[in-house]
Amino acid sequence: MAIRVGRWDCTVCGTKGNLGPETRCRNCGASRPPNVKFYLPDEAEVVQDEARLREARAGVDWICGHCQSQNKAADTVCFSCANPRDELSQDVDLQERTYGLDEVPTESFERERTVHPLERPRRQHNKPPSLFSYVLVAVGLLLAAMWFLRTFPQEIDVVVEDFEWKRQWQLLHYEAVQHEDWSTPSGAFEVSSFQAVHHYDQVLRGYEKRRRVRQVPVGEERYVCGQIDRGNGYFEDRYCTRTIYENREEWYEEPVYDQVPVYRTKYRYKLMQWVASKENLLQTAAKDHQARWPEDARLSGQKDWKGGEKKQWLYVWVREADGDLHQEEVDEAFWQNLTQGQTITAKRSYLFDIWYGLVK
């Protein structure tokens, strides 16, 4: 179980790579930051010395509640202020962390150096925006204004020029329709029967010998699956256990099935039904204001014919003051209340003449 020496960076002077067990910066003498987070470089040395190994396994370091200095786990008094370690001192233990192999930090957690209280902060001179920045802002505002004017609608007067309509009516014929099923419903006639495949059964035919490779557990092994930050500047290998498998060939018997059809009696019969067909779809259309439904003599006095679904499309043609002509589909109530030459309201954009439609 290897133990390695971690590192930490000084947030006062910016010195990087202080040895993890050292509680003060080797450059400026500042104490490790209270929220120190150790990291483990790729080239970190493995501890061999027995004294250092005992130090690594002694436990997490602690922060003195009086002077905030960091001390070793074995210390009973703070090395800086000589205050005893006890419950009244409100001392705090550093945190022990566990990492997976792909989670072990290899560089400092601190990206920027904090300024020491004795340092004089440098003045930051803000660079004025360039002319190009002003041009970009102006172009953006212009495009936004054009888009707003392009999409913002205004109401205009248009004149009803003409009308157009189309109507269709589906006729239904009561006739005999042929069906096939496993039973006959009420009202069926001209019934006949025949044998047909209803489903297939799986029937075991036998077994075939086949060869396969199977993984067989043969033991267990321990392996390094991460690192444990001991909270005192040292990192220790974290071990996990996994099963060891061995590939073995074996023969086995594979069942073989036949798909056997199962026959049952199926019926062919006719039923009287209302049938809609394309040939019996009636349509009328014209360019006037007198919309009419299609007519058919078969609907008069014949019990085997009746009307089905009805559909209609009603259009109005309107002209703008500049002569542009538009066709609009409208509902029947609006269409019926219009007259040729009538002035009504529509909407279009301020720019680019985008047509939005009628105001109904």
Side-chain angles (χ1 to χ4, degrees):
M1 184 176 292
I3 293 179
R4 293 173 176 82
V5 180
R7 298 289 190 274
W8 61 275
D9 294 346
C10 180
T11 57
V12 175
C13 68
T15 299
K16 295 183 177 296
N18 288 294
L19 292 178
E22 299 297 331
T23 59
R24 289 191 176 274
C25 175
R26 68 174 183 268
N27 184 39
C28 69
S31 179
R32 286 189 310 211
N35 59 342
V36 63
K37 293 182 180 177
F38 301 104
Y39 59 95
L40 187 66
D42 294 333
E43 68 280 2
E45 62 178 301
V46 177
V47 177
Q48 303 290 343
D49 181 70
E50 288 296 329
R52 296 180 70 187
L53 287 174
R54 285 194 298 270
E55 181 184 52
R57 292 166 178 158
V60 297
D61 291 351
W62 56 279
I63 302 174
C64 177
H66 290 271
C67 67
Q68 304 302 309
S69 296
Q70 296 192 19
N71 302 272
K72 295 298 178 182
D75 295 338
T76 58
V77 296
C78 175
F79 82 95
S80 179
C81 67
N83 202 69
R85 184 182 185 185
D86 52 34
E87 295 181 0
L88 298 178
S89 301
Q90 296 183 341
D91 302 320
V92 178
D93 288 342
L94 295 185
Q95 184 179 355
E96 184 177 285
R97 296 181 174 89
T98 301
Y99 299 103
L101 282 178
D102 56 346
E103 301 171 342
V104 180
T106 58
E107 58 182 1
S108 174
F109 287 82
E110 303 294 337
R111 300 302 178 190
E112 297 182 0
R113 182 173 72 89
T114 58
V115 179
H116 191 273
L118 298 180
E119 287 190 61
R120 181 177 299 173
R122 299 178 181 177
R123 291 185 179 180
Q124 295 183 353
H125 300 282
N126 294 328
K127 187 178 179 181
S130 63
L131 178 61
F132 182 69
S133 301
Y134 286 114
V135 172
L136 284 180
V137 173
V139 171
L141 292 175
L142 179 61
L143 292 175
M146 290 180 64
W147 178 85
F148 176 76
L149 292 175
R150 179 179 180 271
T151 57
F152 190 77
Q154 65 171 336
E155 291 191 351
I156 59 172
D157 290 334
V158 293
V159 178
V160 176
E161 186 84 7
D162 206 350
F163 299 95
E164 186 175 348
W165 58 271
K166 176 183 176 182
R167 282 181 170 179
Q168 70 179 29
W169 193 6
Q170 178 67 61
L171 292 191
L172 304 177
H173 186 229
Y174 196 61
E175 59 188 54
V177 180
Q178 184 170 288
H179 299 271
E180 288 185 3
D181 207 343
W182 302 104
S183 61
T184 56
S186 176
F189 61 94
E190 295 186 18
V191 180
S192 61
S193 62
F194 58 96
Q195 293 296 304
V197 177
H198 184 269
H199 64 276
Y200 290 86
D201 284 343
Q202 279 194 348
V203 178
L204 181 64
R205 173 159 44 99
Y207 294 89
E208 291 182 358
K209 277 194 173 184
R210 296 184 182 178
R211 201 173 188 179
R212 66 185 174 192
V213 176
R214 188 165 63 93
Q215 285 194 329
V216 180
V218 294
E220 289 185 343
E221 66 175 353
R222 295 176 74 246
Y223 68 101
V224 177
C225 59
Q227 292 290 325
I228 301 173
D229 175 358
R230 303 290 301 183
N232 53 16
Y234 294 96
F235 284 79
E236 184 176 355
D237 287 344
R238 173 190 171 206
Y239 282 87
C240 298
T241 303
R242 61 188 171 196
T243 304
I244 302 174
Y245 291 92
E246 183 180 277
N247 291 334
R248 292 182 182 176
E249 289 188 353
E250 65 179 13
W251 289 94
Y252 72 101
E253 290 187 337
E254 178 81 14
V256 180
Y257 295 92
D258 289 332
Q259 301 293 323
V260 179
V262 178
Y263 289 85
R264 289 185 182 176
T265 301
K266 198 169 190 179
Y267 299 93
R268 186 177 291 117
Y269 57 90
K270 291 182 178 180
L271 281 176
M272 296 301 296
Q273 293 177 315
W274 290 103
V275 178
S277 63
K278 187 176 180 180
E279 293 78 11
N280 295 322
L281 182 63
L282 308 180
Q283 295 184 350
T284 52
K287 278 195 171 184
D288 57 33
H289 203 207
Q290 304 295 325
R292 301 171 298 277
W293 289 107
E295 297 179 356
D296 195 288
R298 291 173 291 184
L299 294 173
S300 301
Q302 297 189 34
K303 294 182 178 180
D304 56 346
W305 290 94
K306 72 175 182 178
E309 183 183 18
K310 289 182 175 181
K311 291 183 179 180
Q312 67 175 356
W313 296 265
L314 305 174
Y315 304 96
V316 58
W317 291 86
V318 295
R319 188 179 298 277
E320 297 185 52
D322 59 3
D324 287 346
L325 195 63
H326 303 279
Q327 183 194 54
E328 285 283 307
E329 184 177 358
V330 296
D331 58 59
E332 185 172 6
F334 186 76
W335 194 78
Q336 292 290 357
N337 289 325
L338 296 176
T339 58
Q340 197 167 17
Q342 179 182 353
T343 299
I344 57 177
T345 306
K347 283 187 178 182
R348 74 172 181 186
S349 63
Y350 278 105
L351 297 179
F352 307 113
D353 293 334
I354 298 178
W355 175 260
Y356 286 111
L358 299 176
V359 178
K360 300 184 178 62

